[in-house]
Amino acid sequence: MSNPSKFTALFSRASDEWSTPPDLWRTLHEEFGFTLDAAATQENTTCVRFFDRRVDALTVSWENAVVWLNPPYSKCRPFLAKAKQEAQAGATVVCLVPSRTDTKWWHESVWDTARHQPRPGVEVRFVKGRLRFGPGTGTAPFPSALVIFRFDPKG
């Protein structure tokens, strides 16, 4: 690594907001037809309707929307809990998160440890390789996963 300073933000906790890779979002938008970006900024939103720092997405209804969620990665636990809650109210929520299968939030919201599979109403898609976030030349220092929450009558 000839210029380590350009990688500082990737490997530090300077920011945990990772802009959605456009090609990934386009492919998923074709499949799901997103109507709400639940964790965005005005500069990086993927949808006309979005929640940014002015609206606390964790405290408002997502109103049966088809939701794209690329949360701040230090807040995966509350955002995935909210995604699960909103899916039970009728939303479909597609989340881009680090593939951190050892974390509390993964086991609370995504994985049913007793059954050795995703929880009811949850689909997991592991992303091959490492994603490239933003205009940088490097890739993320972590693997990623898509976690999809849909309504499930079994709760």
Side-chain angles (χ1 to χ4, degrees):
M1 208 179 312
S2 60
N3 184 3
S5 64
K6 71 180 182 178
F7 297 100
T8 302
L10 273 181
F11 294 101
S12 74
R13 298 211 34 134
S15 174
D16 66 348
E17 295 177 359
W18 299 77
S19 295
T20 300
D23 291 342
L24 174 67
W25 186 84
R26 273 192 293 278
T27 298
L28 293 167
H29 181 58
E30 287 176 13
E31 179 179 352
F32 291 96
F34 299 115
T35 60
L36 171 66
D37 187 337
T41 66
Q42 228 167 6
E43 296 76 34
N44 73 11
T45 186
T46 57
C47 298
V48 172
R49 183 171 171 232
F50 65 96
F51 297 141
D52 61 11
R53 289 188 175 113
R54 296 172 293 171
V55 176
D56 183 355
L58 298 174
T59 63
V60 297
S61 172
W62 297 356
E63 302 172 21
N64 300 319
V66 181
V67 181
W68 172 250
L69 177 62
N70 180 5
Y73 290 170
S74 66
K75 296 183 179 178
C76 283
R77 189 177 194 184
F79 270 98
L80 267 64
K82 176 69 169 175
K84 182 178 173 184
Q85 173 189 342
E86 291 295 330
Q88 284 309 111
T92 297
V93 186
V94 179
C95 310
L96 174 62
V97 295
S99 180
R100 295 188 177 139
T101 61
D102 60 331
T103 60
K104 286 183 182 180
W105 60 261
W106 185 270
H107 290 273
E108 290 169 351
S109 296
V110 179
W111 198 254
D112 184 333
T113 304
R115 296 178 347 152
H116 306 291
Q117 63 188 30
R119 293 183 175 281
V122 178
E123 176 186 348
V124 177
R125 299 179 189 178
F126 293 100
V127 176
K128 183 179 179 182
R130 301 285 172 105
L131 290 176
R132 185 175 314 277
F133 293 92
T137 57
T139 57
F142 49 80
S144 299
L146 295 165
V147 179
I148 302 154
F149 294 88
R150 294 184 176 94
F151 175 74
D152 186 307
K154 295 176 242 160

